[in-house]
Amino acid sequence: MATSFGLDYNDFRTDLEYGARIGDGLYFHAGGFYRTGEGVRSPGFVANNGGQVKFNVTKEFEKGSVTVYAKFLNDRAAAFMPMPMQVSGTNASPNWGSISGYDATSGAMQSVYLDYNVGLGPNGELRRDKVSDGMHPVSKSIGASATFELADGWKVTDNGRFSSNSGAFVAPFPAEVATAGTIANSFGAGSTLAYANDGTPFNNPNGLVARIHMFDTQLNNMDNFMNDLRITKKFDKVGVTAGYFKSIQNISMSWLWNSYLQEVSDNNPRLINVFDAGGNPLSVNGLYAYGVPAWGNCCTRNYDTQYNVSAPYANVSFDATDKLSLEAGVRYDKGQVNGSFAGSSQTAYDINNDGVISAPESSVSAINTANTTAVDYQYHYVSYSFGANYLIDAQQSVFARYSRGASAKADRILFSGLNYLDGDKMNTLDYLNQAEIGYKRKFTKGYVYATLFSSKTNEQGGYEATSNSIIDNDYKSMGLELETSYNATANLNLRGGFTYTKAEITSGANDGNDPRRQPKMMYNFIPTYKFSQNKNAVGLSFIGQTKAYTQDSNQLVMDGFMIVNGFVEVTVTKGLSLNLAGNNLFNTLAITEAEEGNITENTVNYVRARPLPGRSVSMALSYKF
């Protein structure tokens, strides 16, 4: 059992798990956790709130075993989208920083002033969703796995699971960050701004306002069933596997997004109302649109689809010599997609039931249930892989592999006006071809693994909500992965690795450019020292990457960064240990993505970027019995 909590932030979690032998060949394990608190950022409310319980029981037989398991998850965690930041300098050499009044390493767009998102639901009903639900999965799963040795060396294995899934994803997204004058004038010349909570004129010292698109996605039915049945047999030097994978996945969800104005502040930012030149209100309590008119009201939508996949597969391995082993596999995926989806229509509706149609209520986005699009198409593809491993000696080997596979798109292609009754005329698949060659070496005190890789990706058009566009790129990349571990002494271990990637877009307007957000090198270095006495330990981790471009246009650069984490673990007494851990110890400003592709050089620009959290320190007390 373990309890952990933040020392410089409000969060608490407790875990408990226990497993034991029940009888002859019969075992069980049960466990779970519960957590509550704000988290490392301060959204103004309890953001982390929920937990999980799981249980399994295993019965061993003379020639096999069966495990039955169940899990229940109901958890909430804040979803942090890109945040307001400022950038000066040039696109090639920018100066990234926090905005006055908004610390990008600790701030949050969430606020006590915006705890509910109200509007019309998927069936035209009034609904109210809690912003504090954030990422809220509810999952109930039951499954079983069985494996048995049959006669003549045959073996059969079956794994099956059914999950009943629902929940929500609610998060404020800053669609625009600009001066108060710019935002006010976007509603018409002479418009003014005032705080929604008390009516006083807008006077935030930094003078900035965020146009918020509330991402409110309700997961109505995401149930799935999956089963994998396989048989294997070893014929002297040849091993054979044949199997059949089956899955059925529901995607029933509703996008119910709204638009707000909010001050840029990291301390419970207040909502802002806008008034036209005549003093008439154009918003109510910060909400200026039931929907997202800035994106063409794209984001009131409903999906009711089911994805049925059947995939037989086979694999053959061959010990050609004592040192050379060969392997090849093939899989055929066939998918059937059925259902429907619908966009939005605009209507006048008295949302707050006050008998008056306000400006936002004059055009309310509603699911256009009278104009749904039928979905009934099939897709299929063949994946294959073949490789070889050569054992140089007992400590080292080389290997090579070539593979081709695909990924089938789901709801992200239910946007672009395709023929949803004919899979051959749709961009349903993304293909990946990859070759790799590697070397593995074990030493008395460690190991080193090195892999060279080359890949080509064919990415068909899929909708991206944050840019309100269709992404359609092909890529090629090559690089090197290196992983190593070395016991410098009996107590000191040095572990690390890096990945170097030379990637390039090979289609479209950005042909020849680097893919967005893709650094050339990512690395980690983790030294750990264990004290021989009482099993105490101390460790550090250095995790970082080199610079990358914010967008495929390759203009604005995100600086490289290194994050330093650390821990100290102390044994209090037998079975009882105390762990002190710190993340981002130097409070480094690390940017992983940004919405803007370029800035106006040599001036201050306000952009939307996703920074990693700043420094946080936690403590955990655990007891093993």
Side-chain angles (χ1 to χ4, degrees), residues 42-44 101-102 107-114 172 195 197 204 210 212 261-272:
S42 300
Y102 192 98
M109 300 298 292
Q110 286 86 346
S111 171
V112 293
Y113 294 102
L114 183 51
Y195 287 111
N197 64 312
N204 190 330
I212 299 296
L261 295 181
Q262 185 183 73
E263 68 177 342
V264 174
S265 169
D266 60 9
N267 184 20
N268 279 318
R270 289 185 284 174
L271 295 171
I272 297 170

Side-chain angles (χ1 to χ4, degrees), residues 571-621:
T571 300
V572 180
T573 187
K574 183 179 180 180
L576 183 65
S577 63
L578 183 69
N579 183 285
L580 182 67
N583 291 323
N584 197 357
L585 295 175
F586 295 104
N587 208 37
T588 299
L589 180 61
I591 312 300
T592 61
E593 65 177 80
E595 300 299 313
E596 284 73 18
N598 61 78
I599 60 172
T600 301
E601 298 188 338
N602 301 314
T603 188
V604 175
N605 298 258
Y606 301 110
V607 301
R608 299 152 301 151
R610 194 187 298 266
L612 294 179
R615 179 172 45 247
S616 63
V617 182
S618 64
M619 181 177 288
L621 186 68

Side-chain angles (χ1 to χ4, degrees), residues 145-159:
S145 62
T147 180
F148 285 93
E149 301 286 347
L150 308 180
D152 302 321
W154 289 92
K155 182 179 180 180
V156 61
T157 302
D158 188 64
N159 293 292

Side-chain angles (χ1 to χ4, degrees), residues 173 175 213 215 257 292-299 463 465-468 608:
F173 175 84
H213 290 175
F215 285 22
W257 302 7
V292 186
W295 288 349
N297 285 319
C298 69
C299 303
Y463 182 77
T466 54
S467 64
N468 193 25
R608 299 152 301 151

Side-chain angles (χ1 to χ4, degrees), residues 457-506:
T457 305
N458 173 247
E459 181 187 52
Q460 298 296 314
Y463 182 77
E464 182 183 62
T466 54
S467 64
N468 193 25
S469 63
I470 302 296
I471 304 299
D472 188 356
N473 282 330
D474 295 336
Y475 308 89
K476 68 177 181 180
S477 64
M478 59 183 302
L480 171 66
E481 295 178 350
L482 183 65
E483 178 185 354
T484 185
S485 178
Y486 178 67
N487 294 319
T489 69
N491 299 322
L492 177 62
N493 174 260
L494 305 175
R495 181 162 53 94
F498 78 87
T499 300
Y500 173 81
T501 305
K502 176 66 174 70
E504 181 180 328
I505 300 172
T506 58

Side-chain angles (χ1 to χ4, degrees), residues 231 233 239-243 313-317 326-330 385 401:
I231 57 172
K233 180 174 172 58
V240 176
T241 298
Y313 61 90
N315 192 83
V316 178
S317 62
L326 306 173
E327 183 184 23
V330 62
S385 173
R401 179 172 294 277

